[in-house]
Amino acid sequence: QMCIRDSINAEYGGKGVQHDIQKANIYLNKGADWGDVNAQTAWALQQSNEKTCMTSSGLEYLKKAAKQGGLIAQWYLSIHLLNVGDQIKGLKWLTRAAAQGFSEAKRVYDEVKRCLLYTS
C-alpha cells in the first residue's frame, strides 16, 4: 500500500530567504479554505500521515479539489480509495485523471481495463 506522504517527500528549500514554515502553512490553509485547487491538494497531502495515510480533514480537501477538476487531487484520491478497498469510487477518479491526460493514471487505467477484459 502506497502512503500519499511517501510519494510527495517534499523538501523546503531556497537561498537568501528566511523560511517560516508556520506562516507558509497558515497561507496554504487559507488558500485551501478559499477554494484554490492547488492549495487544497497541497494542504490535503500535507495532512496525510504515516499511520492512516490520509486524515479525514485531508481527505475532505482532496475531494474538494478533485471535484473542481484538480488532476493531481483526482490521482491521489483514486489511489487512496483503491488502497482502502473502494474500487468503484477509486476507478471513477482514476478514469477522470486518465481522461485529463495524466500519464500515470492512463497507465494504471489501461492495466485495469486489460485485467477486466481477461476476467470477463
Side-chain angles (χ1 to χ4, degrees), residues 65-80:
K67 287 177 183 176
Q68 292 183 73
L71 172 62
I72 302 302
Q74 291 174 351
W75 166 248
Y76 280 112
L77 184 57
S78 73
I79 294 301
H80 170 76

Side-chain angles (χ1 to χ4, degrees), residues 60-95:
E60 286 307 309
Y61 279 104
L62 203 59
K63 286 177 185 176
K64 287 177 184 181
K67 287 177 183 176
Q68 292 183 73
L71 172 62
I72 302 302
Q74 291 174 351
W75 166 248
Y76 280 112
L77 184 57
S78 73
I79 294 301
H80 170 76
L81 292 168
L82 291 169
N83 280 341
V84 298
D86 192 342
Q87 282 81 17
I88 293 172
K89 288 181 184 174
L91 289 173
K92 171 183 135 180
W93 290 111
L94 178 65
T95 302

Side-chain angles (χ1 to χ4, degrees), residues 19-29:
H19 296 188
D20 189 340
I21 299 293
Q22 235 177 350
K23 196 176 228 180
N25 282 334
I26 289 169
Y27 287 115
L28 181 60
N29 184 243

